[in-house]
Amino acid sequence: MSPLIQFFAASNSHAVRELQVPPETPLAEAASDVGWALRSDCGGRGVCGKCRIQVNGKERLGCQVIVRENMTVEIPRASLKTESTDIVVQQRDFLDQTVQARNPEGGHGYGIALDLGTTTLAAELLEAAPSDSAEPIRFLGVTSRANPQREFGDDLISRIQKTIEEPISLISMQEQTLETVTEMIAELSTAAGLRLSDISRISIAGNTVMENLFHGIDPSPLGRTPFEPPIFEFPARDAANLGLPIAATGIVETLPILGGFVGGDLTAGILATRLHETEGPAFLIDIGTNGELVLQYEGEIDVAATAAGPALEGGRIEFGCQAVPGAINHIELYPDGGVEFSTIAGKPARGLCGSGLIDAVSELLRHGLIDRTGRFALKPDSPFLARWKIVDGKPNFILAEESQSSLCESILLTQRDVRQFQLAVGAIRAGIQILLRNRNLTPERIKRFDVAGGFGSFIRPKAARRVGLLPKEIPLDYVRFCGNTSLAGARLTLFDADARAEALTLARRVRHHDLAVQPDFAALFAENMLFAD
Protein backbone atom coordinates (compact mmCIF):
# COMPACT_ATOMS: atom_id res chain seq x y z
CA MET A 1 0.00 0.00 0.00
CA SER A 2 1.31 3.46 -0.85
CA PRO A 3 2.26 5.50 2.23
CA LEU A 4 0.44 8.79 2.79
CA ILE A 5 2.47 11.89 3.69
CA GLN A 6 0.89 14.95 5.26
CA PHE A 7 3.08 18.03 4.85
CA PHE A 8 2.68 21.02 7.17
CA ALA A 9 4.40 24.40 6.84
CA ALA A 10 5.82 25.22 10.28
CA SER A 11 4.98 28.91 9.85
CA ASN A 12 1.34 28.08 9.13
CA SER A 13 -0.12 25.00 10.79
CA HIS A 14 -3.20 25.24 8.56
CA ALA A 15 -1.16 24.86 5.35
CA VAL A 16 -1.43 21.15 4.60
CA ARG A 17 -0.49 19.24 1.47
CA GLU A 18 -0.95 15.49 1.09
CA LEU A 19 0.66 12.99 -1.21
CA GLN A 20 0.68 9.22 -1.60
CA VAL A 21 3.96 7.81 -2.84
CA PRO A 22 5.40 4.36 -3.61
CA PRO A 23 7.41 2.80 -0.76
CA GLU A 24 11.13 3.68 -0.74
CA THR A 25 10.49 7.16 -2.22
CA PRO A 26 13.01 9.77 -0.98
CA LEU A 27 11.14 12.29 1.16
CA ALA A 28 12.91 15.20 -0.52
CA GLU A 29 11.49 14.07 -3.85
CA ALA A 30 7.97 13.86 -2.39
CA ALA A 31 8.28 17.34 -0.85
CA SER A 32 9.31 18.73 -4.23
CA ASP A 33 6.30 17.08 -5.84
CA VAL A 34 3.92 19.03 -3.57
CA GLY A 35 5.74 22.29 -4.27
CA TRP A 36 7.82 22.50 -1.11
CA ALA A 37 11.33 21.71 -2.31
CA LEU A 38 13.85 21.25 0.47
CA ARG A 39 17.23 22.93 0.55
CA SER A 40 20.10 20.75 -0.63
CA ASP A 41 23.23 22.81 -0.07
CA CYS A 42 25.41 19.71 0.31
CA GLY A 43 23.88 17.85 -2.60
CA GLY A 44 21.86 15.53 -0.36
CA ARG A 45 24.86 14.09 1.51
CA GLY A 46 23.43 14.95 4.93
CA VAL A 47 26.26 17.22 6.04
CA CYS A 48 24.98 20.80 5.70
CA GLY A 49 21.98 20.49 8.04
CA LYS A 50 19.92 22.95 5.98
CA CYS A 51 16.97 20.59 5.38
CA ARG A 52 15.97 19.97 9.00
CA ILE A 53 12.34 18.92 9.32
CA GLN A 54 10.06 17.21 11.83
CA VAL A 55 8.97 13.70 10.87
CA ASN A 56 6.28 12.30 13.16
CA GLY A 57 7.47 14.77 15.80
CA LYS A 58 11.18 13.93 15.57
CA GLU A 59 13.83 16.13 13.98
CA ARG A 60 15.39 14.62 10.87
CA LEU A 61 17.40 15.71 7.86
CA GLY A 62 14.96 15.65 4.97
CA CYS A 63 17.55 14.47 2.44
CA GLN A 64 18.17 11.32 4.50
CA VAL A 65 14.57 10.19 4.96
CA ILE A 66 13.11 7.35 2.88
CA VAL A 67 9.31 6.96 2.98
CA ARG A 68 8.24 3.49 4.11
CA GLU A 69 5.09 4.30 6.13
CA ASN A 70 2.48 6.99 6.67
CA MET A 71 4.00 10.11 8.17
CA THR A 72 3.40 13.73 9.04
CA VAL A 73 6.13 16.16 8.03
CA GLU A 74 6.55 19.69 9.35
CA ILE A 75 8.85 21.88 7.26
CA PRO A 76 10.31 25.10 8.70
CA ARG A 77 10.46 27.96 6.26
CA ALA A 78 14.26 28.13 6.61
CA SER A 79 14.50 24.57 5.23
CA LEU A 80 12.68 25.40 2.00
CA LYS A 81 14.56 26.10 -1.19
CA THR A 82 13.91 29.60 -2.49
CA GLU A 83 14.02 30.55 -6.14
CA SER A 84 16.42 33.46 -5.90
CA THR A 85 15.87 35.40 -9.11
CA ASP A 86 16.39 38.66 -7.26
CA ILE A 87 20.01 38.29 -6.21
CA VAL A 88 21.69 41.67 -5.94
CA VAL A 89 24.73 42.11 -8.18
CA GLN A 90 26.89 45.19 -8.42
CA GLN A 91 25.59 46.94 -11.51
CA ARG A 92 28.43 49.43 -11.86
CA ASP A 93 32.06 49.14 -10.86
CA PHE A 94 35.30 51.06 -11.09
CA LEU A 95 35.73 49.85 -14.67
CA ASP A 96 32.38 50.85 -16.09
CA GLN A 97 33.65 53.68 -18.31
CA THR A 98 36.87 52.06 -19.54
CA VAL A 99 35.55 49.83 -22.32
CA GLN A 100 36.01 51.48 -25.72
CA ALA A 101 35.52 48.39 -27.93
CA ARG A 102 33.85 48.72 -31.31
CA ASN A 103 31.63 46.26 -33.10
CA PRO A 104 33.95 44.55 -35.61
CA GLU A 105 31.02 43.73 -37.88
CA GLY A 106 29.98 47.36 -38.35
CA GLY A 107 26.82 48.99 -37.04
CA HIS A 108 25.70 48.55 -33.46
CA GLY A 109 26.49 45.18 -31.89
CA TYR A 110 24.88 43.52 -28.88
CA GLY A 111 26.44 40.96 -26.59
CA ILE A 112 26.21 39.25 -23.22
CA ALA A 113 28.97 39.24 -20.58
CA LEU A 114 28.40 36.23 -18.33
CA ASP A 115 29.89 35.33 -14.94
CA LEU A 116 29.53 31.66 -14.01
CA GLY A 117 29.93 31.54 -10.23
CA THR A 118 29.58 28.54 -7.96
CA THR A 119 26.68 30.19 -6.14
CA THR A 120 25.43 32.87 -8.53
CA LEU A 121 25.19 33.45 -12.27
CA ALA A 122 25.30 37.09 -13.39
CA ALA A 123 24.88 38.55 -16.87
CA GLU A 124 25.09 41.97 -18.50
CA LEU A 125 23.67 43.08 -21.84
CA LEU A 126 26.01 45.47 -23.64
CA GLU A 127 25.95 47.46 -26.86
CA ALA A 128 29.10 48.16 -28.87
CA ALA A 129 29.24 51.27 -31.03
CA PRO A 130 29.98 51.09 -34.76
CA SER A 131 33.64 50.98 -35.75
CA ASP A 132 33.64 54.65 -36.82
CA SER A 133 32.12 55.91 -33.55
CA ALA A 134 33.89 57.36 -30.49
CA GLU A 135 31.20 56.16 -28.09
CA PRO A 136 32.14 53.76 -25.27
CA ILE A 137 30.36 50.47 -24.85
CA ARG A 138 26.84 50.97 -23.49
CA PHE A 139 25.45 49.10 -20.50
CA LEU A 140 21.84 48.02 -21.19
CA GLY A 141 21.00 45.84 -18.19
CA VAL A 142 22.08 43.26 -15.64
CA THR A 143 20.41 40.21 -14.13
CA SER A 144 21.33 37.28 -11.94
CA ARG A 145 20.15 33.89 -10.79
CA ALA A 146 21.05 31.37 -8.14
CA ASN A 147 23.22 28.71 -9.74
CA PRO A 148 20.80 25.83 -10.44
CA GLN A 149 23.60 23.32 -9.85
CA ARG A 150 23.35 23.96 -6.10
CA GLU A 151 21.00 20.99 -5.83
CA PHE A 152 24.09 18.88 -6.55
CA GLY A 153 26.03 20.63 -3.78
CA ASP A 154 26.95 24.15 -2.77
CA ASP A 155 30.65 23.61 -3.39
CA LEU A 156 32.64 22.48 -6.41
CA ILE A 157 33.97 19.28 -4.86
CA SER A 158 30.42 18.03 -4.26
CA ARG A 159 29.56 18.60 -7.92
CA ILE A 160 32.72 16.89 -9.14
CA GLN A 161 31.99 13.94 -6.86
CA LYS A 162 28.46 13.76 -8.26
CA THR A 163 29.80 13.44 -11.81
CA ILE A 164 32.09 10.64 -10.66
CA GLU A 165 29.33 8.73 -8.84
CA GLU A 166 26.62 9.46 -11.42
CA PRO A 167 28.18 10.34 -14.80
CA ILE A 168 24.74 11.20 -16.24
CA SER A 169 24.55 14.12 -13.78
CA LEU A 170 27.02 15.96 -16.04
CA ILE A 171 24.27 16.26 -18.66
CA SER A 172 21.80 17.53 -16.05
CA MET A 173 24.22 20.16 -14.76
CA GLN A 174 24.99 21.45 -18.24
CA GLU A 175 21.33 21.54 -19.25
CA GLN A 176 20.29 23.35 -16.08
CA THR A 177 22.97 25.98 -16.58
CA LEU A 178 22.13 26.53 -20.25
CA GLU A 179 18.42 26.80 -19.44
CA THR A 180 19.11 29.40 -16.74
CA VAL A 181 21.44 31.38 -19.01
CA THR A 182 18.76 31.31 -21.72
CA GLU A 183 16.24 32.76 -19.25
CA MET A 184 18.66 35.52 -18.31
CA ILE A 185 19.38 36.43 -21.94
CA ALA A 186 15.65 36.51 -22.71
CA GLU A 187 14.97 38.73 -19.71
CA LEU A 188 17.71 41.19 -20.67
CA SER A 189 16.76 41.37 -24.35
CA THR A 190 13.06 41.87 -23.58
CA ALA A 191 13.79 44.67 -21.09
CA ALA A 192 16.00 46.41 -23.68
CA GLY A 193 13.45 46.02 -26.49
CA LEU A 194 15.73 43.75 -28.53
CA ARG A 195 15.16 40.48 -30.34
CA LEU A 196 17.24 37.49 -29.26
CA SER A 197 18.61 37.40 -32.79
CA ASP A 198 20.09 40.89 -32.27
CA ILE A 199 22.63 39.41 -29.85
CA SER A 200 25.75 38.23 -31.64
CA ARG A 201 28.30 37.45 -28.93
CA ILE A 202 28.59 35.92 -25.46
CA SER A 203 31.76 36.21 -23.36
CA ILE A 204 32.08 33.84 -20.40
CA ALA A 205 34.23 33.99 -17.28
CA GLY A 206 33.83 31.39 -14.57
CA ASN A 207 35.72 29.10 -12.26
CA THR A 208 37.35 25.99 -13.66
CA VAL A 209 34.53 23.59 -12.82
CA MET A 210 31.74 25.89 -13.99
CA GLU A 211 33.41 26.59 -17.34
CA ASN A 212 33.87 22.87 -17.98
CA LEU A 213 30.32 22.02 -16.94
CA PHE A 214 28.94 24.80 -19.13
CA HIS A 215 30.59 23.15 -22.14
CA GLY A 216 29.58 19.63 -21.07
CA ILE A 217 33.17 18.61 -20.31
CA ASP A 218 33.67 16.04 -17.55
CA PRO A 219 35.39 17.79 -14.58
CA SER A 220 36.24 14.55 -12.76
CA PRO A 221 40.05 14.89 -13.36
CA LEU A 222 39.86 17.75 -10.86
CA GLY A 223 38.68 15.26 -8.25
CA ARG A 224 41.87 13.19 -8.24
CA THR A 225 45.59 13.83 -8.20
CA PRO A 226 47.21 15.79 -9.83
CA PHE A 227 43.95 17.84 -9.88
CA GLU A 228 44.47 19.18 -13.38
CA PRO A 229 41.59 20.55 -15.47
CA PRO A 230 40.65 18.52 -18.56
CA ILE A 231 41.06 21.62 -20.73
CA PHE A 232 42.78 25.00 -20.29
CA GLU A 233 41.79 26.90 -23.43
CA PHE A 234 38.34 26.81 -24.98
CA PRO A 235 37.87 27.34 -28.71
CA ALA A 236 35.15 29.76 -29.77
CA ARG A 237 31.84 27.91 -30.21
CA ASP A 238 28.71 28.53 -32.20
CA ALA A 239 25.95 29.51 -29.80
CA ALA A 240 23.58 27.27 -31.76
CA ASN A 241 25.68 24.22 -30.83
CA LEU A 242 24.97 24.98 -27.18
CA GLY A 243 21.29 25.61 -27.80
CA LEU A 244 21.55 29.29 -26.92
CA PRO A 245 18.89 31.23 -28.86
CA ILE A 246 20.86 34.24 -30.06
CA ALA A 247 21.80 35.18 -33.65
CA ALA A 248 22.25 32.23 -36.00
CA THR A 249 25.91 33.19 -36.39
CA GLY A 250 26.33 34.00 -32.68
CA ILE A 251 29.64 33.12 -31.04
CA VAL A 252 30.47 32.06 -27.48
CA GLU A 253 33.96 32.89 -26.17
CA THR A 254 35.28 31.53 -22.86
CA LEU A 255 38.22 32.96 -20.93
CA PRO A 256 41.12 30.52 -20.41
CA ILE A 257 41.84 28.62 -17.21
CA LEU A 258 45.06 29.37 -15.30
CA GLY A 259 45.50 25.97 -13.64
CA GLY A 260 43.80 23.57 -11.24
CA PHE A 261 40.87 25.35 -9.62
CA VAL A 262 42.07 28.77 -10.79
CA GLY A 263 39.67 29.49 -13.63
CA GLY A 264 38.77 32.01 -16.25
CA ASP A 265 37.17 34.18 -13.58
CA LEU A 266 40.63 34.98 -12.25
CA THR A 267 41.97 35.53 -15.75
CA ALA A 268 39.17 38.07 -16.08
CA GLY A 269 40.09 39.60 -12.72
CA ILE A 270 43.73 40.11 -13.64
CA LEU A 271 42.74 41.65 -16.94
CA ALA A 272 40.09 43.90 -15.42
CA THR A 273 42.23 45.22 -12.55
CA ARG A 274 45.41 45.46 -14.71
CA LEU A 275 47.21 43.79 -11.81
CA HIS A 276 49.95 42.59 -14.16
CA GLU A 277 50.91 46.19 -14.89
CA THR A 278 51.29 47.21 -11.23
CA GLU A 279 54.61 48.51 -9.91
CA GLY A 280 55.64 46.80 -6.73
CA PRO A 281 54.15 43.63 -5.17
CA ALA A 282 50.37 43.46 -5.61
CA PHE A 283 47.69 40.97 -4.59
CA LEU A 284 44.26 40.10 -5.94
CA ILE A 285 41.96 37.79 -4.00
CA ASP A 286 38.61 36.72 -5.39
CA ILE A 287 36.41 35.80 -2.45
CA GLY A 288 33.84 33.14 -3.16
CA THR A 289 33.15 29.47 -2.55
CA ASN A 290 36.50 28.81 -4.21
CA GLY A 291 38.96 31.46 -3.00
CA GLU A 292 41.40 32.39 -5.77
CA LEU A 293 44.64 34.29 -5.23
CA VAL A 294 47.07 36.21 -7.45
CA LEU A 295 50.43 37.70 -6.51
CA GLN A 296 52.22 39.94 -9.01
CA TYR A 297 55.88 40.69 -8.31
CA GLU A 298 58.54 42.00 -10.69
CA GLY A 299 56.60 40.91 -13.75
CA GLU A 300 55.95 37.40 -12.44
CA ILE A 301 52.42 36.23 -11.69
CA ASP A 302 51.72 33.48 -9.13
CA VAL A 303 48.21 32.05 -8.76
CA ALA A 304 46.58 29.56 -6.41
CA ALA A 305 43.16 28.40 -5.27
CA THR A 306 42.06 27.51 -1.79
CA ALA A 307 38.87 25.76 -0.72
CA ALA A 308 37.32 28.63 1.22
CA GLY A 309 33.95 26.90 1.21
CA PRO A 310 30.54 28.52 0.75
CA ALA A 311 30.30 30.32 4.12
CA LEU A 312 31.17 33.75 2.68
CA GLU A 313 28.31 33.36 0.20
CA GLY A 314 25.82 32.27 2.85
CA GLY A 315 26.31 28.52 2.40
CA ARG A 316 26.45 26.14 5.39
CA ILE A 317 25.50 28.99 7.71
CA GLU A 318 22.42 28.16 9.78
CA PHE A 319 20.52 31.24 8.62
CA GLY A 320 22.78 31.99 5.67
CA CYS A 321 21.41 33.23 2.37
CA GLN A 322 22.55 34.84 -0.83
CA ALA A 323 22.58 38.60 -1.43
CA VAL A 324 18.83 38.89 -1.92
CA PRO A 325 16.41 41.54 -0.62
CA GLY A 326 16.07 40.96 3.11
CA ALA A 327 19.58 39.55 3.55
CA ILE A 328 21.33 41.11 6.56
CA ASN A 329 24.37 42.85 5.09
CA HIS A 330 25.60 45.04 7.98
CA ILE A 331 25.45 44.66 11.76
CA GLU A 332 26.60 46.86 14.62
CA LEU A 333 26.67 46.12 18.35
CA TYR A 334 26.65 48.88 20.97
CA PRO A 335 28.15 48.87 24.50
CA ASP A 336 24.71 49.05 26.11
CA GLY A 337 23.71 45.74 24.51
CA GLY A 338 21.91 47.22 21.52
CA VAL A 339 22.06 45.54 18.13
CA GLU A 340 21.32 47.28 14.85
CA PHE A 341 21.40 45.81 11.39
CA SER A 342 20.53 46.71 7.83
CA THR A 343 19.19 44.48 5.08
CA ILE A 344 19.42 44.60 1.32
CA ALA A 345 16.58 46.72 -0.05
CA GLY A 346 15.41 47.43 3.51
CA LYS A 347 13.21 44.32 3.60
CA PRO A 348 12.44 42.28 6.77
CA ALA A 349 15.38 40.05 7.63
CA ARG A 350 15.38 36.66 5.94
CA GLY A 351 18.96 35.54 6.54
CA LEU A 352 22.61 36.47 6.67
CA CYS A 353 24.71 37.05 3.52
CA GLY A 354 28.50 37.17 3.30
CA SER A 355 29.12 40.80 4.26
CA GLY A 356 26.67 40.44 7.14
CA LEU A 357 28.50 37.35 8.38
CA ILE A 358 31.82 39.23 8.34
CA ASP A 359 30.21 42.08 10.29
CA ALA A 360 28.58 39.73 12.79
CA VAL A 361 31.79 37.89 13.64
CA SER A 362 33.75 41.15 13.72
CA GLU A 363 31.30 42.81 16.10
CA LEU A 364 31.15 39.83 18.45
CA LEU A 365 34.95 39.82 18.53
CA ARG A 366 35.04 43.57 19.21
CA HIS A 367 32.76 43.18 22.23
CA GLY A 368 34.49 40.08 23.62
CA LEU A 369 31.60 37.74 22.81
CA ILE A 370 33.92 35.47 20.80
CA ASP A 371 37.44 34.58 22.02
CA ARG A 372 40.48 34.20 19.73
CA THR A 373 39.77 30.47 19.28
CA GLY A 374 36.33 31.31 17.90
CA ARG A 375 34.47 30.03 20.94
CA PHE A 376 31.43 31.94 22.18
CA ALA A 377 32.19 33.75 25.45
CA LEU A 378 29.12 34.11 27.67
CA LYS A 379 29.65 36.44 30.62
CA PRO A 380 27.03 36.88 33.37
CA ASP A 381 27.64 40.63 33.60
CA SER A 382 27.50 41.20 29.84
CA PRO A 383 24.97 43.76 28.53
CA PHE A 384 24.33 41.28 25.69
CA LEU A 385 23.13 38.50 27.99
CA ALA A 386 19.56 38.79 26.69
CA ARG A 387 20.80 38.22 23.10
CA TRP A 388 21.84 34.64 23.80
CA LYS A 389 19.42 31.84 23.06
CA ILE A 390 20.15 28.30 24.19
CA VAL A 391 19.19 25.71 21.55
CA ASP A 392 19.82 22.01 22.28
CA GLY A 393 22.07 23.08 25.14
CA LYS A 394 24.22 25.31 22.94
CA PRO A 395 24.39 29.12 22.91
CA ASN A 396 23.30 31.05 19.81
CA PHE A 397 23.49 34.81 19.37
CA ILE A 398 20.28 36.55 18.28
CA LEU A 399 21.01 38.87 15.36
CA ALA A 400 17.40 39.67 14.50
CA GLU A 401 14.39 39.16 16.72
CA GLU A 402 11.40 37.16 15.51
CA SER A 403 9.45 40.40 15.06
CA GLN A 404 12.18 41.68 12.69
CA SER A 405 12.32 38.52 10.61
CA SER A 406 10.29 37.30 7.66
CA LEU A 407 10.96 33.70 8.75
CA CYS A 408 8.61 33.85 11.75
CA GLU A 409 11.58 33.04 13.97
CA SER A 410 14.71 34.76 15.24
CA ILE A 411 17.79 34.81 13.01
CA LEU A 412 20.73 33.39 14.94
CA LEU A 413 24.49 33.12 14.68
CA THR A 414 25.56 29.68 15.86
CA GLN A 415 28.87 28.32 17.10
CA ARG A 416 29.01 26.13 14.01
CA ASP A 417 28.59 29.23 11.83
CA VAL A 418 31.67 30.77 13.42
CA ARG A 419 33.64 27.57 12.77
CA GLN A 420 32.59 27.58 9.11
CA PHE A 421 33.68 31.20 8.89
CA GLN A 422 37.05 30.37 10.47
CA LEU A 423 37.60 27.61 7.91
CA ALA A 424 37.06 30.08 5.06
CA VAL A 425 39.32 32.78 6.49
CA GLY A 426 42.00 30.28 7.53
CA ALA A 427 42.20 28.82 4.03
CA ILE A 428 42.48 32.22 2.36
CA ARG A 429 45.09 33.55 4.79
CA ALA A 430 47.21 30.39 4.54
CA GLY A 431 47.19 30.71 0.75
CA ILE A 432 48.29 34.36 0.96
CA GLN A 433 51.16 33.44 3.29
CA ILE A 434 52.43 30.66 1.03
CA LEU A 435 52.43 32.81 -2.12
CA LEU A 436 54.27 35.58 -0.29
CA ARG A 437 56.80 33.17 1.20
CA ASN A 438 57.56 31.64 -2.18
CA ARG A 439 58.71 35.10 -3.33
CA ASN A 440 60.48 35.93 -0.04
CA LEU A 441 57.98 38.71 0.60
CA THR A 442 56.22 39.87 3.75
CA PRO A 443 52.77 41.52 3.89
CA GLU A 444 54.36 44.88 4.73
CA ARG A 445 55.83 45.03 1.21
CA ILE A 446 52.47 44.77 -0.56
CA LYS A 447 51.64 48.04 -2.32
CA ARG A 448 48.17 47.13 -3.57
CA PHE A 449 45.64 44.62 -2.32
CA ASP A 450 42.56 44.12 -4.52
CA VAL A 451 39.54 42.25 -3.19
CA ALA A 452 37.16 40.89 -5.82
CA GLY A 453 33.87 39.07 -5.50
CA GLY A 454 30.24 39.88 -6.09
CA PHE A 455 29.76 41.14 -2.54
CA GLY A 456 33.21 42.74 -2.20
CA SER A 457 31.98 46.32 -2.34
CA PHE A 458 29.63 45.68 0.62
CA ILE A 459 32.41 44.57 2.98
CA ARG A 460 33.55 47.04 5.63
CA PRO A 461 37.38 47.12 5.54
CA LYS A 462 37.83 47.42 9.32
CA ALA A 463 35.57 44.43 9.88
CA ALA A 464 37.45 42.39 7.27
CA ARG A 465 40.73 43.22 8.96
CA ARG A 466 39.44 42.42 12.46
CA VAL A 467 38.38 38.91 11.45
CA GLY A 468 41.67 38.30 9.60
CA LEU A 469 40.37 38.34 6.05
CA LEU A 470 42.76 41.23 5.30
CA PRO A 471 46.33 41.01 6.62
CA LYS A 472 46.71 43.56 9.42
CA GLU A 473 50.11 44.66 8.07
CA ILE A 474 48.58 46.14 4.90
CA PRO A 475 47.36 49.75 5.24
CA LEU A 476 43.68 50.11 4.42
CA ASP A 477 44.65 52.81 1.91
CA TYR A 478 46.22 50.04 -0.18
CA VAL A 479 43.03 47.97 -0.24
CA ARG A 480 40.55 48.24 -3.15
CA PHE A 481 37.19 46.48 -3.16
CA CYS A 482 36.67 45.89 -6.86
CA GLY A 483 33.30 44.14 -7.06
CA ASN A 484 32.66 41.41 -9.60
CA THR A 485 35.88 41.44 -11.64
CA SER A 486 34.88 38.18 -13.33
CA LEU A 487 31.93 39.96 -14.93
CA ALA A 488 34.09 43.02 -15.63
CA GLY A 489 36.68 40.90 -17.46
CA ALA A 490 34.00 39.19 -19.51
CA ARG A 491 32.73 42.66 -20.45
CA LEU A 492 36.22 43.78 -21.51
CA THR A 493 36.71 40.81 -23.82
CA LEU A 494 33.20 40.76 -25.29
CA PHE A 495 33.89 42.81 -28.42
CA ASP A 496 37.65 43.26 -28.14
CA ALA A 497 39.85 40.71 -29.92
CA ASP A 498 42.99 42.37 -28.50
CA ALA A 499 41.69 41.93 -24.96
CA ARG A 500 40.95 38.25 -25.65
CA ALA A 501 44.48 37.79 -27.00
CA GLU A 502 45.88 39.50 -23.91
CA ALA A 503 43.89 37.18 -21.67
CA LEU A 504 45.37 34.17 -23.47
CA THR A 505 48.89 35.57 -23.11
CA LEU A 506 48.33 36.12 -19.39
CA ALA A 507 47.04 32.58 -18.93
CA ARG A 508 50.14 31.13 -20.57
CA ARG A 509 52.63 33.07 -18.45
CA VAL A 510 51.27 32.53 -14.92
CA ARG A 511 52.81 30.15 -12.42
CA HIS A 512 50.21 27.95 -10.76
CA HIS A 513 50.80 26.68 -7.21
CA ASP A 514 48.95 23.67 -5.80
CA LEU A 515 48.56 24.56 -2.12
CA ALA A 516 47.54 21.00 -1.25
CA VAL A 517 51.08 19.73 -1.87
CA GLN A 518 52.69 22.35 0.38
CA PRO A 519 53.96 20.34 3.39
CA ASP A 520 52.95 22.98 5.95
CA PHE A 521 49.67 24.12 4.44
CA ALA A 522 47.59 22.24 7.04
CA ALA A 523 49.57 23.81 9.89
CA LEU A 524 49.27 27.30 8.43
CA PHE A 525 45.58 26.70 7.81
CA ALA A 526 44.99 25.77 11.45
CA GLU A 527 47.09 28.68 12.70
CA ASN A 528 45.17 31.19 10.60
CA MET A 529 41.82 29.98 11.89
CA LEU A 530 42.64 31.72 15.16
CA PHE A 531 41.60 35.34 15.52
CA ALA A 532 44.31 37.87 16.35
CA ASP A 533 44.70 38.98 19.95
Side-chain angles (χ1 to χ4, degrees), residues 170-299:
L170 171 62
I171 298 173
S172 298
M173 290 189 208
Q174 183 192 26
E175 288 179 345
Q176 285 183 341
T177 304
L178 290 172
E179 287 174 6
T180 302
V181 169
T182 297
E183 290 175 5
M184 295 164 74
I185 294 172
E187 176 189 330
L188 288 169
S189 60
T190 299
L194 298 175
R195 298 167 300 179
L196 287 170
S197 59
D198 291 329
I199 299 170
S200 61
R201 302 194 65 85
I202 298 175
S203 180
I204 292 173
N207 63 61
T208 303
V209 176
M210 283 303 304
E211 288 192 349
N212 278 274
L213 290 173
F214 181 88
H215 289 283
I217 299 170
D218 180 11
S220 61
L222 287 159
R224 52 181 178 265
T225 187
F227 308 107
E228 287 290 327
I231 187 171
F232 284 82
E233 298 173 8
F234 300 85
R237 294 189 65 177
D238 293 336
N241 291 154
L242 289 164
L244 294 172
I246 62 173
T249 57
I251 296 296
V252 177
E253 301 268 7
T254 305
L255 272 75
I257 288 166
L258 303 183
F261 285 90
V262 187
D265 51 354
L266 205 61
T267 309
I270 297 171
L271 191 66
T273 60
R274 311 306 298 175
L275 190 84
H276 54 299
E277 298 175 347
T278 304
E279 292 185 11
F283 239 104
L284 167 65
I285 65 170
D286 192 334
I287 300 175
T289 304
N290 184 46
E292 295 169 291
L293 315 171
V294 189
L295 171 63
Q296 188 281 143
Y297 179 54
E298 295 183 341

Side-chain angles (χ1 to χ4, degrees), residues 21 146 160 209 214 273 296 319 484 499 512:
V21 298
I160 292 170
V209 176
F214 181 88
T273 60
Q296 188 281 143
F319 287 88
N484 190 339
H512 174 250

Side-chain angles (χ1 to χ4, degrees), residues 293 306 372 422-438 441 443 468 514-531:
L293 315 171
T306 183
R372 71 182 303 266
Q422 289 177 281
L423 289 171
V425 172
I428 291 170
R429 287 294 305 276
I432 291 172
Q433 286 185 355
I434 288 173
L435 288 189
L436 287 173
R437 184 183 65 189
N438 288 346
L441 293 170
D514 184 353
L515 299 180
V517 303
Q518 299 288 328
D520 60 345
F521 177 74
L524 287 172
F525 181 16
E527 177 185 317
N528 281 286
M529 285 179 62
L530 298 175
F531 297 113

